[in-house]
Amino acid sequence: MTKQQLKTAAFWATTILGPTSFVIGGVLGLMSGPEVVESTRHLGYPLYFVTILSTWKLLGAIAITAPGLPRLKEWAYAGFLFDLTAAAVSHAAVGDGAGDIIAPLGFLALVLASYTLRPASRTLAGGAVPRESAPARRSAVDGSDAVARVLTAA
């Protein structure tokens, strides 16, 4: 197996076990089973929060797993980072045990591994196709003749 094949396999393994697994949590949350209601109340959140969070989990998992949509993938990865760190802090705040605090951080490790291992076609820079008709954009500093003269004089 080549290095690229190994990286691709690791990306998909971490993506399926991490971000894509949020489909399960999203569906369970939208079904509002007794375990979900009990856990939500235990953490001190209103029940409508479950519907909002579960919907975003489903949409995030789809965005990360589906091809294309690189900007949406960035937002989905960020959302999972916020969700999982908030879950760990929430469990710690109500005095839950170490296992309940560490579990979301384990999923966060999978999400971060998926993010790090993703192919260029799934990144914002790699997925962007430059427009030939659009004028090139330069920042004021990059395009400043005065800056160029100062740098060459030094």
Side-chain angles (χ1 to χ4, degrees), residues 93-138:
V94 297
D96 285 345
D100 290 327
I101 297 166
I102 294 171
L105 299 177
F107 275 101
L108 179 58
L110 291 169
V111 169
L112 293 175
S114 170
Y115 181 82
T116 303
L117 293 167
R118 65 203 162 120
S121 63
R122 293 179 161 267
T123 65
L124 194 54
V129 178
R131 295 184 195 165
E132 295 298 323
S133 60
R137 294 183 189 172
R138 296 183 349 189

Side-chain angles (χ1 to χ4, degrees), residues 58-128:
L58 275 173
L59 293 173
I62 291 167
I64 288 174
T65 307
L69 310 168
R71 185 170 310 279
L72 201 54
K73 288 181 190 325
E74 293 285 330
W75 281 96
Y77 277 112
F80 288 147
L81 173 84
F82 302 147
D83 174 68
L84 292 166
T85 55
V89 170
S90 295
H91 282 289
V94 297
D96 285 345
D100 290 327
I101 297 166
I102 294 171
L105 299 177
F107 275 101
L108 179 58
L110 291 169
V111 169
L112 293 175
S114 170
Y115 181 82
T116 303
L117 293 167
R118 65 203 162 120
S121 63
R122 293 179 161 267
T123 65
L124 194 54

Side-chain angles (χ1 to χ4, degrees), residues 137-144:
R137 294 183 189 172
R138 296 183 349 189
S139 72
V141 173
D142 290 341
S144 170

Side-chain angles (χ1 to χ4, degrees), residues 22-23 25-31 36 49-59:
F22 275 83
V23 168
V27 170
L28 290 174
L30 291 173
M31 292 174 52
V36 173
F49 187 65
V50 175
T51 303
I52 296 167
L53 194 57
S54 297
T55 301
W56 286 116
K57 284 180 180 182
L58 275 173
L59 293 173

